[in-house]
Amino acid sequence: MDGSATFPDVTLAILAGGQGTRLGGVAKGLLSVEGLTTLERLRAFGSHFEDVLLVANVPAPYERFGLRTVADAVKGKGAPGGVHAALGAARTPWVFAVACDMPFVTEAAARVVLDARGEDVDAVCIERDGRWEPLFAAYRTERVSHWGEALVEDPSLRQLLMRFRTRTLPVDALRAVDPELRALANVNTPEDLVRYGVTLP
C-alpha cells in the first residue's frame, strides 16, 4: 500500500469459506449487491488497511480480482483454519478478519473493534446475544503458532478466542455507528438473498 491506510498496522483478511451449499454451491464472494460483487465491495473496504489478503482453498473463482491469496496451512479446520492462515501470511502486527459474504462492512464499524486493541489484548470481537462474532474481529498475528497448535483439537473460533486475551465489546458499541448492525450481516441462505437485496452470480 502507499502509506495512506487508515489502519496502517492491520491487514484485512477475507475468508472465502465453504462452498455455499445452501445457495446452490456458488462462490459466495461472487454474490452481487447493487451491481458489485461482495468481494469487490470488500476490496474497496480494504483501502483502509495496509494490506488485503484473501484466504481461499479454491482460488480460481477469485483470480480476476488480483488479491494476494493463500490457502489454509492446516487443512480441514474451517474458519479457525482460515484465520490461522491469515495470521501466518499477514505482514502487519494485526489482522482484521471478515467473511467474503459480508457485503456491508464499513470503516466506522471496523474502527469500533480496532480502537479497542491494546498491549494487553490478543483479539477483539463483538458480543451479540451471548454469541461472539469472530469473523468481524481483530487478531494479533504473533499468536499464530499458538493458534496453529490449538487446531489439532478442532476447536470452534470461540473456543480458540477463549484461550487468548480476548476483549469482547457489547453490541451497543457497534450499534452506535451501525444502528441496524448491517456490518455483521452475512449471506448464507436464500432468505438472506431477499433480506439484503443480494443476487446470485
Side-chain angles (χ1 to χ4, degrees):
M1 297 277 179
D2 61 7
S4 62
T6 311
F7 307 113
D9 59 342
V10 187
T11 294
L12 175 65
I14 305 168
L15 275 61
Q19 301 304 307
T21 52
R22 285 180 287 180
L23 294 174
V26 303
K28 292 202 289 183
L30 303 183
L31 296 170
S32 181
V33 181
E34 298 172 356
L36 292 174
T37 65
T38 55
L39 198 57
E40 286 171 318
R41 293 170 72 94
L42 288 168
R43 184 175 61 181
F45 168 64
S47 66
H48 297 289
F49 297 83
E50 180 63 22
D51 197 9
V52 180
L53 178 67
L54 177 67
V55 180
N57 292 322
V58 184
Y62 304 117
E63 287 174 350
R64 62 186 168 97
F65 296 100
L67 294 173
R68 185 163 71 95
T69 303
V70 298
D72 290 352
V74 182
K75 304 298 184 186
K77 301 297 182 180
V83 172
H84 174 251
L87 296 179
R91 302 164 179 157
T92 56
W94 287 85
V95 158
F96 186 75
V98 299
C100 72
D101 60 355
M102 299 174 74
F104 306 116
V105 295
T106 64
E107 182 268 339
R111 183 178 292 281
V112 171
V113 172
L114 291 168
D115 280 357
R117 292 174 295 158
E119 291 298 321
D120 59 339
V121 174
D122 295 322
V124 182
C125 69
I126 301 288
E127 182 173 356
R128 174 170 56 165
D129 300 329
R131 293 182 294 109
W132 293 3
E133 298 285 349
L135 291 185
F136 187 80
Y139 299 91
R140 188 185 294 275
T141 55
E142 68 182 28
R143 296 292 178 255
V144 60
S145 60
H146 295 99
W147 191 280
E149 291 164 5
L151 288 179
V152 299
E153 299 174 20
D154 287 325
S156 67
L157 277 172
R158 178 169 178 144
Q159 288 169 333
L160 272 166
L161 285 167
M162 290 175 71
R163 293 177 177 230
F164 296 93
R165 299 174 300 171
T166 297
R167 176 171 292 161
T168 58
L169 304 176
V171 74
D172 285 347
L174 180 58
R175 223 184 280 276
V177 300
D178 182 5
E180 297 181 2
L181 304 178
R182 283 170 66 81
L184 299 180
N186 61 343
V187 183
N188 282 313
T189 67
E191 291 76 20
D192 291 337
L193 296 176
V194 175
R195 180 180 303 125
Y196 300 120
V198 178
T199 56
L200 293 171

